[in-house]
Amino acid sequence: MTATLPIDIHTHHTPTPPATAIVCHTPADVPPYCPARQATPPTWLSVGIHPWDVGPAQKAGQLPRLLALLAGALARPDVVAIGEAGLDKLATAPMELQTDVFLQQARMAEETGKPLVIHLVKAQAELLAAHRMLRPTVPWILHGFRGKAQLATDYLRHGFWLSFGEHWQAEALRTVPSDRLLLETDDCPTPLPVLLQRVAQARETTPERLLPTLRDNVRRVFFPSFCCYY
Ligand SMILES: [Zn+2]
């Protein structure tokens, strides 16, 4: 199987060509799986229950259905990650419920061997407690990382991966070793090549030099069984 690895690890846009990004969906809106369409190039997906959706889903009695849909989606070869899952103190659902749903998704990540893309707002202690409890073997990726350098160092020490989007603190970005760095466009309008240029500049390198490392990071995190993907 030959394909270009996606560099953009988390987007809500439709990428062109399709294989250049991992597109985020909820279990309720994931497009149907069609093996024939997966020829080349595939559209890579991540599927998860976002913390913002936990409260409304609970109210509507839909959480068990969403978790079942998620379990089904994870069996698909084009679904290469779980997410966004996470913990958000500004979301409507109580932290206890959010934690429960997050842990269920983290356990699914372990069972399927697929990495976890994490949305985190003001819940660092809760996330680290979950990490200590589960001791995950699959990568946990903090998406849209905007924290300071010290926080980046702490997360890296705990084994997390950090993904940077449109906004970041330059010192934090420079703190992350190249072999632990991921990029994403999320829902921002800035195209990936522009993002890559800015990130490379902030790290005093060039997109050409950064790109092979980013590809290899994506391979290690999202496509660990493919050794010769590009
Ligand atoms: Zn997102």
Side-chain angles (χ1 to χ4, degrees):
M1 190 174 183
T2 55
T4 305
L5 284 175
I7 295 298
D8 183 354
I9 69 109
H10 177 82
T11 191
H12 299 270
H13 301 297
T14 303
T16 2
T20 52
I22 298 172
V23 185
C24 181
H25 284 275
T26 72
D29 75 4
V30 63
Y33 180 54
C34 170
R37 255 195 16 226
Q38 294 302 316
T40 44
T43 300
W44 305 116
L45 307 175
S46 77
V47 184
I49 304 172
H50 195 288
W52 296 350
D53 296 334
V54 169
Q58 166 82 344
K59 258 193 185 155
Q62 289 294 310
L63 268 178
R65 178 176 160 267
L66 289 183
L67 286 161
L69 287 171
L70 174 58
L74 289 172
R76 295 167 48 163
D78 57 339
V79 175
V80 294
I82 300 188
E84 299 172 49
L87 300 164
D88 186 335
K89 290 247 170 99
L90 304 180
T92 55
M95 280 314 288
E96 199 181 324
L97 177 62
Q98 285 191 49
T99 303
D100 177 53
V101 174
F102 176 72
L103 289 175
Q104 289 195 59
Q105 295 184 87
R107 288 195 180 100
M108 286 185 194
E110 281 301 303
E111 283 159 16
T112 57
K114 297 188 179 184
L116 190 61
V117 178
I118 299 168
H119 166 104
L120 185 73
V121 176
K122 300 179 188 289
Q124 189 190 353
E126 289 82 353
L127 178 68
L128 290 177
H131 192 261
R132 268 195 305 275
M133 189 174 82
L134 292 182
R135 296 176 175 273
T137 59
V138 295
W140 282 24
I141 304 134
L142 280 178
H143 104 84
F145 188 79
R146 297 188 191 189
K148 294 195 168 143
Q150 183 55 54
L151 193 59
T153 305
D154 288 348
Y155 278 122
L156 290 166
R157 192 164 40 83
H158 282 102
F160 285 80
W161 286 74
L162 302 180
S163 174
F164 291 81
E166 190 172 32
H167 302 286
W168 28 262
Q169 311 229 10
E171 203 193 332
L173 180 66
R174 284 195 288 266
T175 298
V176 182
S178 298
D179 64 357
R180 298 287 293 282
L181 184 70
L182 297 166
L183 295 190
E184 63 179 58
T185 58
D186 199 7
D187 53 5
C188 76
T190 310
L192 192 87
V194 177
L195 211 60
L196 176 64
Q197 174 74 46
R198 285 187 198 156
V199 165
Q201 196 170 14
R203 293 172 63 88
E204 295 178 358
T205 183
T206 62
E208 293 73 24
R209 291 176 78 168
L210 196 53
L211 206 51
T213 312
L214 289 172
R215 275 222 173 85
D216 196 50
N217 295 346
V218 169
R219 181 190 60 76
R220 288 192 289 138
V221 172
F222 296 94
F223 302 87
S225 29
F226 294 109
C227 60
C228 305
Y229 222 82
Y230 55 94

